[in-house]
Amino acid sequence: MKYKHRLTALTALACASALTACSGQSGSQAGTSAGDPVQREFFAMDTYMTLTAYGDEAEAALEKAQTEVEKLESEWSVTNESSEIYQMNHSQGSPVTLSDDTADIVSFALEMAKETEGDLDPTIYPVLAAWGFTTDENRIPSQEELDGLIANVGYERVELDGNTVRLPEGMEFDLGAVGKGYAGDRLAELLKEEGVTSALLDLGGNIQAIGERPGGGDWRLGIRSPFDGGEGVLGMLLASDCAVVTSGNYERYFVGEDGKEYGHIIDPDTGYPVDNGLASVTIIADEGKKGDALSTSMFVKGLDEATEYWQENQDFEMILVTQDGQIYLTEGVEDQFTLSTDFGNMDIHVIKGDEQ
């Protein structure tokens, strides 16, 4: 999978999320013609979502898309007592029967956990909660507390047989690292079925591009800078008909009493926030759920292991930004990414597939 299209002049725009769509169109209401954008904004899955589509079918399709997201959220919420994930987490070791949607995404999360050797682990939720990242009441847990919680982390102990799942008592499952990506895939499928051929879905920074821009050509996506609290646009990425997902600790972090910053991406091996020199990871993939899973797991792996993983697989592209201001990107997006003027002095290193 390569994303090689022509390079066009890009304009960096300020953005409110890790990625921002720069479609060259504007407007937040239903369009007046087939060429005008129709936009729908709402809050779901603990983030603000903006869905933009074009064409006569766009308005009705986006209404169905919002309904679909809300349905998935009701099935997957870790706090909604009627959700399937909540029932899994409070089953006290008893088997739980899941819907097809939930069984499918649980299976995918476990598959990616195995593929990434546990760097993505959907059973890490209690550790996240201990650090306060699920409640915004942040604190530094004691080593004793973390040791106790880590004892209940381990995707390989989840038993899934068809639509029946059983978690060991004390374990909790969370779809935070794959849920928005899975939802993006579902919405892309739904919109295409409704006749939409050009759309851009922003699910809280997870971008799902459907087709090309109206009139042809790549979508222009602004990748937010991971420095200075995420201020400014690092550069522009050209992409079409794919998912683009960024992970980094610059959006959700706190400063402890020791004066150190602690980010929300946790290393499942240690229970501590990742601190390996990476500032952000952007994944470009055919599927949103895979981009979501890989953006987290490659961040946990760090520069060297993420590079090795890509060279072994090469079925996605990525852009890695280090805390010391270096950019490493895979060869498939070398001609697709352009630094903005404010960051033009940063060094770009191309990761080649034949350097194993």
Side-chain angles (χ1 to χ4, degrees), residues 27-31 33 36-40 51-55 58-60 62:
S28 58
Q29 304 298 323
S33 71
D36 292 332
V38 177
Q39 196 166 85
R40 198 172 188 92
L51 313 182
T52 306
Y54 298 80
E59 189 166 7
L62 291 186

Side-chain angles (χ1 to χ4, degrees), residues 46 76 97 128 131 144 146-147 156 163 186 225 251 285 289-290:
D46 199 32
W76 301 343
T97 301
L128 275 172
W131 284 91
E144 182 180 4
L146 287 176
D147 289 343
E156 67 275 4
N163 285 47
R186 177 62 61 83
S225 165
E251 282 191 311
K289 63 183 181 182
K290 185 163 188 174

Side-chain angles (χ1 to χ4, degrees), residues 123-159:
T123 67
I124 196 69
Y125 182 77
V127 180
L128 275 172
W131 284 91
F133 290 114
T134 63
T135 61
D136 291 328
E137 297 178 1
N138 298 116
R139 66 186 183 89
I140 303 174
S142 68
Q143 187 62 57
E144 182 180 4
E145 180 181 2
L146 287 176
D147 289 343
L149 293 172
I150 286 291
N152 288 321
V153 172
Y155 71 91
E156 67 275 4
R157 287 182 280 144
V158 178
E159 299 176 15

Side-chain angles (χ1 to χ4, degrees), residues 17-19 119-120 176-178 180 204-207 223-226 244-252 264-266 274 276 278-284 288-301 318-322:
S17 59
L19 295 164
D119 288 318
L120 172 80
V178 293
K180 288 190 296 180
N206 285 46
I207 302 296
I223 298 182
R224 182 168 152 186
S225 165
V244 183
V245 185
T246 295
S247 288
N249 273 331
Y250 56 91
E251 282 191 311
R252 295 176 60 194
H264 75 286
I265 301 177
I266 302 294
V274 174
N276 59 14
L278 284 182
S280 70
V281 172
T282 296
I283 301 293
I284 305 97
K289 63 183 181 182
K290 185 163 188 174
D292 214 355
L294 289 175
S295 69
T296 300
S297 54
M298 295 304 104
F299 192 91
V300 173
K301 283 183 180 298
M318 67 180 180
I319 301 172
L320 310 175
V321 183
T322 65

